[in-house]
Amino acid sequence: MNEVDYSQWLESIFRKVRRFSVLFLQIGASSEPARRALRASNLTVISVAEYLVCESADAHRLIVIDELESMLRSSAEISMGALRERVLADVDSGCGVILLSRAPRVAFPPVPGSSLLDDASFGHAPLDGVTAPGQLPTCVIDGVAVDEVIRTALTELGPEVCASLDRVVYENLLVGKAALDQLDARELEALDGVGFTSIRNQKRSWNFPKYLKPLKESLDAVLAGHVEPQAQLAEIGSGLWQIERMIRRAVRQRAVAAWGDKWRSQCLNGALPRVVLERATDSAYYGAVSLKQLRDPLEWLTLSELLSLKDRKEIGDLGLKPAMWRHFATQIMPIRNRLAHMRMLRPEDSAEVAKWLRVLELKLFVEGA
């Protein structure tokens, strides 16, 4: 193992901290030598857990707060709000602070009232000479296998970034600039931070072969192995549950108004009566022989089947214009399908669900409202 000279990079990091006071420094599995160089420099390096319980730092010191990624664990007892308060107090006393993390900024969920990470300057290990995965410092200097480094780096990027990569390189079959154009600024920053991409001549490009085969193979393994619930799972699941039940309530109210006590047998059309009865008798209503015996046949419909009932004149558009329902189906159905099949949720999913939940609260037909 031959270490390289990181002195110029370290000096550039120190200058940036002196200028901006707080620096978010993303260094993970692909750049372990840079981590060692930072720790070997004449700095105070302390874990985030230790930092929050230790005494205030001496004025005008430069502090490296390590293991920031530990705050992403579901069991973490450290709040971003508490960290922000402590960091700002040290900055006010003249200290410079480096927030050292294996995870990128985009992996940290937004925290109301705390913009510590957004306001921080950004830095990563020196990766300017990297043009292929085998040239990542951990591979070259430490001799770690390329596929191992890529898999670990993908894990550090987090499930949301991996889900975005899955959408771009697998589902959309994109490569090159076309693939990068589908990612947002924070995701691109994260890829720069692990050395998967680099900016050369003011243009960002992949540090992988043209068809991204090493990345795709490792991404496949990382996504298949991820079993921890994503941070936004509860919020998205709750929102989708509310959305579907609100639509079902509106359809039921229209059906009851149109067909009275015969609504159970009259509201479904086409093959739906047979399909619903089969579903219900297969798992709950074992003795039922008619839709009339089901408390609510609508509960046995998929969301797409439920939405199809709007085409019946007795049900109608339920307060939303047809164009709006098309947008709803385009944006919400894929999220529901991802959740139903236990696939990875995407960073934008929670915002889409929250948006449509609010739209339905404002516009959806409710009897007596």
Side-chain angles (χ1 to χ4, degrees):
M1 180 176 68
N2 297 316
E3 294 290 351
V4 299
D5 184 5
Y6 281 96
S7 58
Q8 290 187 348
W9 170 72
L10 287 170
E11 183 54 39
S12 70
I13 291 297
F14 300 156
R15 285 197 302 269
K16 187 173 283 190
V17 177
R18 287 194 292 268
R19 180 179 179 185
F20 296 105
S21 298
V22 181
L23 172 68
F24 182 92
L25 189 57
Q26 180 189 343
I27 308 179
S30 61
S31 296
E32 295 293 354
R35 273 188 158 264
R36 292 196 295 270
L38 186 65
R39 281 188 162 275
S41 62
N42 188 25
L43 296 175
T44 300
V45 181
I46 186 171
S47 73
V48 64
E50 294 169 330
Y51 173 72
L52 287 174
V53 297
C54 72
E55 296 181 1
S56 297
D58 296 335
H60 308 296
R61 289 179 62 188
L62 201 164
I63 311 164
V64 180
I65 305 173
D66 198 2
E67 301 177 17
L68 211 69
E69 68 279 358
S70 65
M71 300 179 70
L72 294 171
R73 300 182 193 131
S74 57
S75 59
E77 298 180 356
I78 307 166
S79 75
M80 190 61 72
L83 178 62
R84 176 180 181 273
E85 183 177 343
R86 175 65 190 277
V87 167
L88 293 183
D90 283 338
V91 168
D92 287 342
S93 70
C95 293
V97 176
I98 294 176
L99 303 171
L100 181 58
S101 176
R102 292 182 178 275
R105 283 197 284 192
V106 70
F108 293 85
V111 179
S114 177
S115 57
L116 176 64
L117 302 189
D118 287 333
D119 292 344
S121 180
F122 176 76
H124 57 70
L127 296 163
D128 297 339
V130 175
T131 58
Q135 296 173 358
L136 292 169
T138 303
C139 300
V140 174
I141 299 172
D142 295 351
V144 181
V146 175
D147 58 346
E148 180 181 343
V149 172
I150 295 174
R151 284 197 300 270
T152 306
L154 283 168
T155 302
E156 291 172 343
L157 285 175
E160 282 74 28
V161 174
C162 287
S164 292
L165 288 172
D166 182 34
R167 167 178 56 86
V168 170
V169 303
Y170 269 110
E171 295 180 17
N172 296 349
L173 301 175
L174 297 176
V175 295
K177 183 178 182 298
L180 295 175
D181 286 345
Q182 297 299 309
L183 301 172
D184 67 29
R186 279 286 190 259
E187 291 168 337
L188 293 171
E189 174 189 272
L191 296 182
D192 290 345
V194 295
F196 288 179
T197 54
S198 294
I199 298 176
R200 290 181 284 272
N201 299 322
Q202 299 183 329
K203 294 182 179 179
R204 181 180 279 106
S205 58
W206 291 99
N207 292 328
F208 285 95
K210 181 178 180 180
Y211 296 106
L212 307 177
K213 184 177 179 181
L215 174 65
K216 294 176 73 173
E217 290 176 346
S218 294
L219 180 63
D220 174 29
V222 169
L223 287 174
H226 188 89
V227 296
E228 292 296 320
Q230 292 172 261
Q232 56 182 335
L233 177 62
E235 180 183 1
I236 290 175
S238 174
L240 290 175
W241 188 87
Q242 288 180 269
I243 284 172
E244 195 155 333
R245 292 191 66 85
M246 288 168 66
I247 296 172
R248 190 185 301 153
R249 177 184 62 185
V251 171
R252 178 189 171 112
Q253 289 175 347
R254 285 283 177 87
V256 170
W259 295 293
D261 58 5
K262 296 181 179 179
W263 75 272
R264 291 178 177 83
S265 57
Q266 295 295 318
C267 68
L268 305 181
N269 57 356
L272 287 180
R274 175 184 56 80
V275 170
V276 164
L277 187 59
E278 287 179 358
R279 288 174 185 165
T281 54
D282 281 348
S283 60
Y285 290 82
Y286 301 119
V289 295
S290 167
L291 290 177
K292 297 177 182 179
Q293 295 172 291
L294 306 186
R295 179 184 59 78
D296 189 345
L298 300 178
E299 291 190 347
W300 299 92
L301 296 175
T302 66
L303 180 56
S304 60
E305 290 168 344
L306 185 64
L307 293 177
S308 72
L309 297 182
K310 299 187 292 78
D311 296 336
R312 304 199 66 178
K313 66 179 187 299
E314 295 89 350
I315 305 299
D317 61 17
L318 303 175
L320 277 71
K321 295 179 180 179
M324 192 170 290
W325 279 119
R326 287 194 295 272
H327 289 306
F328 171 86
T330 300
Q331 295 171 14
I332 290 297
M333 291 299 295
I335 301 174
R336 188 190 186 281
N337 290 339
R338 281 194 285 277
L339 189 60
H341 295 285
M342 310 305 163
R343 294 166 56 210
M344 301 302 292
L345 298 168
R346 297 174 182 170
E348 66 272 16
D349 287 350
S350 58
E352 291 290 350
V353 170
K355 176 186 73 178
W356 281 107
L357 179 59
R358 184 56 178 158
V359 169
L360 295 181
E361 287 173 344
L362 293 173
K363 292 181 174 290
L364 192 65
F365 165 80
V366 178
E367 185 178 5

